[in-house]
Amino acid sequence: MVWLLSVLYLLCHGLALVLLPAHAQTLSFSFLIGAPVLAAAACLRRSVGSEAVVGWVALAVGMLLWAGGMAMNMYQEVGLGNADATPGISMLLYVLYGVPLTFAMAHPRHAPWFLSVIDGAMALLLGYLFFVYTFSFVTMTDASDAGVDSLRLMFDIENLFIAGFALLRYLASDDASRRGFFRALALFAWVYMAVAAYINHFGSDASYGGHADLLIDVPFLLLAAAAWRRMPLAPRQVSRRLALGVRVGSPLILAISLLVMSSLLVRAHPMLAVAGFAIATLGSGLRSVLMQVRSLEQQDRLDVLARVDGLTGVANRRQFDQVLQAEWGRARRSGQGMALLMVDIDHFKVFNDRYGHPLGDACLRAVAAALAGSATRATDAVARYGGEEFAVVLPAATREGVLALAENMRIAVEQLRLSSPVSVGQIGVTISIGVAWVDKVTTAAPSALVAATDAALYEAKRQGRNRVVEGQVAAVRAEDMDR
């Protein structure tokens, strides 16, 4: 239906030219203004709820700027009756329509606000350079033939620039929403480039109101239809390296545009050209620095997630394994002893079944906090070993200090009281602790220490739970030495 309405729009435009030749120019201008306005409306509608909302809104702004340029042409030729003059303001709006499109291609997905501010500032400067360059050849009401020729060349470069980068962004998009946007933009840009090249170089002598005007409608109607109708996208594999490379490099589009425009202004406006070069360089550099800082912050957060248990906030099993191996190696080199504690929450399955998983999670968090609060040395490491089990690595510790700390942990947990909405009063919880200590490390792997701690924990539970039991590290076989 959308495509049928687009064809109907063209037919109505053509019939108006044939049936009402006396008013052909006025009617044709109305259709030429209406087509980009319809495209803008379709883009704004598509932006609602879309992840590519910035792109669709920018595209709508570009369409309205182009419609404004055509409206100025209409005012000049119909309102003032001067068909021979080319208003400079109209030419400027035709050029400026490409600035929002360039911004849309350069703006990355999910960009933070400060990057949007930098991109927006560079886009505004680009628009100002377009303004200065345009009015180097035209006036508000007229343009010389040489000026029009220079602007035609700039139009060709701008259109090719937009079409080429839009196609590249489409081919490299691995996100369905962004891919749909760049497909619509690439379709419009390539058709518009072809139509503009024909009109500017072969049909520029003809005034508005002829059948060539129907061609001008086509790219805008295609965009309106593509934006209004959510056409399905066939699955397509995109090289991850290509997608990342284009996504990271896309902000350079604005910087490149600024550099090109600044180079065109070197002779006529050298100071402005230098400012353009400087802002393009500084803006791109500042953007790169901020992106790198943001990337490092995200890396830090991921590093924390990789080392910390999400529920309890203590170290996870992976971090425990790394700490245990590192402290074991350090103890072996220094000749100091070390200890390991294995902690198990007593009857935790029964607790979970009776009071529910939310209170079970609260219990795990409370026990983890009590254990971490008791292990006051910076070198002590408390970790969630798995399920309701915890482990504590104690480097450079004495046997008496280890046993005293284990008992303090048991008492700290025994004193905990958890509130339950389904029971009267508060709920207590206890733990069993297995302890193993070595005064001298002689092997490369701490497997004997872990085995002794596991055996001590099993013995603590066998003896009735809520207690601390010390295990003995088994003798190490000769073939295990220095493994």
Side-chain angles (χ1 to χ4, degrees), residues 194-213:
V195 170
Y198 172 78
I199 296 296
N200 290 336
H201 296 285
F202 301 103
S204 58
D205 293 335
S207 61
Y208 289 103
H211 289 90
D213 293 357

Side-chain angles (χ1 to χ4, degrees), residues 6-44:
S6 300
V7 174
L8 184 60
Y9 189 97
L10 281 175
L11 289 175
C12 290
H13 190 171
L15 287 173
L17 298 179
V18 173
L19 298 178
L20 299 169
H23 304 283
Q25 190 179 59
T26 301
L27 291 172
S28 189
F29 270 122
S30 300
F31 279 99
L32 291 175
I33 295 171
V37 170
L38 288 175
C43 290
L44 290 175

Side-chain angles (χ1 to χ4, degrees), residues 33 67-77 87 89-90 93 140:
I33 295 171
M70 186 57 66
M72 294 306 302
N73 270 114
M74 181 178 181
Y75 173 75
Q76 180 83 7
E77 297 193 19
I89 187 63
S90 176
L93 291 174
M140 291 294 291

